[in-house]
Amino acid sequence: MTNSEIVDLLELTGRLMELHDRDTFKTRTFQTAAFNLDKSTADLANLPVEELVKLQGVGKSVAQKIREIADTGRLTDLDELLAETPSGVLDMFRIKGLGVKKVRTLWRELGIDNLRDLQLAGENGQIAKIKGFGASTQEKILAALEFLQEQQGKVRMDKAAMIANLLHDELMKRFERVEISGQVRLKAQEVDVVQLLVQTSDPVSAMLTLGQLPNLEQNELESSPFAWRGRLAGFDVQVEILFYPAEQIDRQLFIHTAAEPHLKQAGAGGVTLLQAAYTSEETSETAIYERAGLPYIVPEMREDDFAFRWASRHQNDELVTWEDLRGTLHNHSTWSDGKQSVAGMAAYCRELGLTYFGIADHSKTASYAGGLDAERVQQQQLEIDQLNKGFGNDFRIFKGIESDILGDGSLDYDDATLATFDYVVASVHQTLTMSLEKATTRLLRAIENPYTTILGHPTGRLLLAREGYPIDHRAIIDACAEHNVVIEINASPYRLDIDWRWIDYAMQQGVMLSINPDAHDLAGLLDMHYGVAIGRKGGLTKAMTFNALTLAEMTDYLQQRRKKIRKGA
């Protein structure tokens, strides 16, 4: 059992105890333990009770529950609570804005125990009549339900890649050639079909082979003699495995890794890419583009005609790669809500071959995440000074902060405190329900602040969980160009914000983009791989990637910026 799996079970237990009005003290022990252990770096599954009780927020009772989870993979208390809870009530916790108390009210007072009944109650106006809800809450619930329905059957890029790689490795034990294709190879940020191509001259035998694999659940109605369709147990996304003979697989890999608008593109001779795929004697992807008389486009960019407009100004080797990244900015540590120390995060960055690490813990307004007040900012910066003394000239920790953008667009520190940072990531975290005009105005004021270096996750979206607030992207990007503000590509697969469709416009306006992992632990630093994928999808070049600057270039950039601010003051 991983730490996150253990914490999830404890958190769900506390939530259901509250839902069922269990003993308040016992409920809080589970909730407190889950909150504190979420940041723990201890190996919970392998600690005995006497060591677990030494962890913050863990008493003997909870320690014993953790051992039960680690040893059996289950928790008796949770099993009993789940037996008393309709599965539809659990689904209601996925609705943004519905906490335990509101879910309990809907269940107990209106008898709502599934999402369908919740939607009907909202459409009939019943929710608005409940004390403590009102018309506004009802509208938000209906909007959240609509969003969830649109996202049903989809997974994020990271989970889709994990499923595809698991299947690829398993299938390669049985078939000569297996290719990951479709949306996963296209680097779609949300995936509703995980697709693989299998080379075989005997699709009947191949189908029988798949039937013997564990955890594959076939949908026989959707399958055909040349296509296995179904799901991987435990994942709510369709899996499609297509069978092709050796002479067809290259051609089909190209066709299945390009969106329809891209396949319709034609060169000067009028031959479309789809036609070229079927008529080219050589079936390699480069040969197909040559047959159509079009420049070769990397798989990530095969969405529509944008790639060809981009190719008229750039070469493929200009696209950013993981190897181009020299450092990482926007990361969190144990000073706020991260799981690793600044020193630990920096050390791992050095292992990855990076030459600088930028810390950007939460600011004072984010009290829920252990945000830093001015005194703790000073303490953290003294620690960084000491750590930097131990590095040579080939590595450095930069002092940053993720400063909250307040409702009026101001940052949540005074200028004296902001001046102590090497850079500032300005982000919105609270009051996310805004009109386009309000959100845009709020961001524009933050961009105008001379201390804002990077605009963090511009729309605040959480893929498959929360829509971003609406903004005027052109106005925001133009303002960043005017005020020399970098825009973040938040590389967390939960966000991938700014959307890739706006990357090219930003570059055309001279705005650099920073592939920021928003890492809260060591593994989170690797999320920059997803940021690179999305950057390439949008045509991001190394030259316009902020954290592709060398250590010397980044140091000089930040120093010159601070000098300009002081001069302006």
Side-chain angles (χ1 to χ4, degrees):
M1 298 288 289
T2 65
N3 278 15
S4 60
E5 288 171 332
I6 292 171
V7 169
D8 285 347
L9 291 180
L10 293 174
E11 185 178 25
L12 180 57
T13 302
R15 184 180 294 178
L16 293 184
M17 288 176 74
E18 184 179 352
L19 179 71
H20 291 283
D21 288 319
R22 293 294 198 267
D23 179 85
T24 303
F25 176 77
K26 290 182 179 179
T27 300
R28 285 179 181 168
T29 62
F30 277 94
Q31 294 171 337
T32 301
F35 177 80
N36 285 287
L37 293 177
D38 188 45
K39 297 196 294 182
S40 177
T41 57
D43 186 2
L44 301 179
N46 291 310
L47 290 181
V49 170
E50 53 268 26
E51 292 297 320
L52 287 167
V53 295
K54 296 177 182 179
L55 301 176
Q56 185 177 356
V58 179
K60 187 175 180 180
S61 174
V62 171
Q64 291 171 337
K65 303 298 182 186
I66 293 172
R67 287 287 358 128
E68 181 185 347
I69 294 171
D71 294 339
T72 69
R74 316 178 62 82
L75 183 59
T76 303
D77 292 11
L78 178 57
D79 289 342
E80 292 173 354
L81 289 163
L82 288 170
E84 301 175 34
T85 312
S87 60
V89 171
L90 294 176
D91 291 337
M92 289 162 65
F93 286 123
R94 298 166 57 201
I95 303 298
K96 179 186 172 185
L98 281 187
V100 176
K101 292 180 180 178
K102 279 189 166 61
V103 170
R104 184 171 59 219
T105 299
L106 290 166
W107 182 25
R108 300 300 189 192
E109 293 191 17
L110 288 187
I112 295 172
D113 62 3
N114 60 78
L115 295 182
R116 176 58 181 159
D117 286 350
L118 180 64
Q119 182 173 354
L120 290 173
E123 292 171 347
N124 294 333
Q126 291 175 279
I127 294 174
K129 298 175 183 177
I130 304 174
K131 184 178 180 181
F133 282 76
S136 177
T137 299
Q138 180 173 273
E139 289 176 11
K140 290 176 182 177
I141 289 172
L142 287 172
L145 282 167
E146 182 180 357
F147 180 75
L148 277 180
Q149 289 165 0
E150 291 173 355
Q151 309 310 311
Q152 192 171 7
K154 296 180 182 179
V155 292
R156 297 184 309 272
M157 173 193 285
D158 59 325
K159 191 170 288 187
M162 180 193 71
I163 295 169
N165 286 319
L166 282 172
L167 291 170
H168 177 272
D169 293 347
E170 192 64 32
L171 293 171
M172 280 299 293
K173 298 173 185 177
R174 296 162 175 82
F175 298 97
E176 182 178 346
R177 183 180 176 189
V178 179
E179 297 287 352
I180 296 172
S181 59
Q183 297 170 28
V184 177
R185 188 168 181 241
L186 197 55
K187 303 299 181 185
Q189 57 200 18
E190 297 171 351
V191 173
D192 57 22
V193 178
V194 174
Q195 185 185 80
L196 296 96
L197 309 186
V198 168
Q199 179 179 309
T200 179
S201 58
D202 187 353
V204 174
S205 296
M207 190 71 77
L208 292 173
T209 299
L210 293 186
Q212 298 169 3
L213 295 181
N215 301 321
L216 276 181
E217 302 170 351
Q218 184 179 11
N219 183 329
E220 295 185 5
L221 291 176
E222 293 291 328
S223 298
S224 72
F226 301 98
W228 184 100
R229 294 185 178 90
R231 297 183 186 278
L232 182 65
F235 297 97
D236 184 26
V237 64
Q238 182 177 326
V239 171
E240 184 175 69
I241 302 172
L242 307 178
F243 308 128
Y244 291 105
E247 64 272 15
Q248 282 286 333
I249 200 160
D250 283 336
R251 174 182 290 120
Q252 294 299 330
L253 179 62
F254 169 74
I255 292 171
H256 287 292
T257 312
E260 185 177 347
H262 190 79
L263 292 173
K264 289 181 176 179
Q265 299 305 307
V271 177
T272 68
L273 280 169
L274 184 59
Q275 291 169 334
Y278 281 112
T279 58
S280 177
E281 292 184 8
E282 188 183 340
T283 59
S284 69
E285 294 184 323
T286 52
I288 291 170
Y289 280 100
E290 288 176 7
R291 171 76 178 86
L294 292 167
Y296 175 80
I297 302 298
V298 297
E300 301 97 306
M301 297 181 72
R302 298 173 189 171
E303 293 282 355
D304 47 32
D305 63 339
F306 156 71
F308 298 108
R309 287 184 274 114
W310 180 91
S312 69
R313 295 177 275 114
H314 299 283
Q315 300 294 320
N316 287 326
D317 60 8
E318 294 178 49
L319 287 169
V320 67
T321 67
W322 170 268
E323 289 73 24
D324 292 328
L325 303 185
R326 295 290 176 262
T328 172
L329 304 164
H330 190 173
N331 303 286
H332 299 269
S333 73
T334 49
W335 279 92
S336 64
D337 62 344
K339 296 182 180 181
Q340 301 285 342
S341 66
V342 174
M345 295 284 277
Y348 189 56
C349 283
R350 297 189 80 183
E351 288 182 31
L352 294 174
L354 302 176
T355 56
Y356 51 89
F357 168 72
I359 192 66
D361 272 311
H362 284 290
S363 57
K364 62 180 183 179
T365 301
S367 56
Y368 57 88
L372 280 63
D373 58 23
E375 182 179 352
R376 294 183 67 226
V377 164
Q378 187 177 22
Q379 292 169 357
Q380 185 189 63
Q381 292 181 352
L382 287 172
E383 178 185 298
I384 293 171
D385 287 338
Q386 287 299 116
L387 289 170
N388 277 332
K389 288 179 182 179
F391 301 130
N393 296 323
D394 62 343
F395 190 84
R396 181 176 174 183
I397 301 173
F398 288 112
K399 305 169 188 173
I401 196 75
E402 185 179 19
S403 184
D404 267 32
I405 299 173
L406 302 179
D408 63 356
S410 61
L411 304 186
D412 64 341
Y413 288 116
D414 57 31
D415 287 356
T417 303
L418 290 170
T420 66
F421 299 107
D422 292 321
Y423 67 98
V424 173
V425 179
S427 306
V428 171
H429 288 112
Q430 300 182 59
T431 316
L432 303 180
T433 303
M434 297 179 283
S435 65
L436 184 146
E437 181 180 6
K438 183 176 180 180
T440 302
T441 301
R442 185 177 178 182
L443 293 188
L444 287 176
R445 185 177 177 196
I447 292 165
E448 291 166 2
N449 190 308
Y451 290 100
T452 297
T453 316
I454 302 172
L455 177 63
H457 44 71
T459 73
R461 75 181 183 186
L462 291 175
L463 294 172
L464 303 182
R466 181 178 74 205
E467 283 188 289
Y469 40 81
I471 62 172
D472 183 335
H473 280 83
R474 289 183 182 274
I476 296 300
I477 292 169
D478 292 347
C480 286
E482 179 183 353
H483 296 281
N484 193 30
V485 170
V486 177
I487 294 179
E488 171 178 275
I489 299 176
N490 191 292
S492 167
Y494 288 83
R495 291 188 184 273
L496 300 178
D497 183 16
I498 190 171
D499 191 276
W500 65 267
R501 295 167 183 83
W502 289 100
I503 290 173
D504 188 56
Y505 181 75
M507 291 197 305
Q508 289 187 51
Q509 301 309 110
V511 177
M512 296 191 80
L513 295 110
S514 187
I515 297 175
N516 292 346
D518 200 352
H520 288 68
D521 54 23
L522 301 184
L525 291 165
L526 299 176
D527 283 349
M528 288 194 294
H529 281 290
Y530 303 116
V532 168
I534 285 298
R536 289 171 63 86
K537 192 173 187 66
L540 179 61
T541 63
K542 174 186 175 181
M544 293 302 291
T545 303
F546 188 53
N547 55 318
L549 295 178
T550 65
L551 174 57
E553 290 169 338
M554 181 61 73
T555 301
D556 182 63
Y557 178 96
L558 296 177
Q559 287 177 346
Q560 293 301 321
R561 204 172 194 286
R562 292 177 72 179
K563 285 181 182 178
K564 186 176 180 181
I565 293 172
R566 286 196 294 269
K567 188 176 181 180

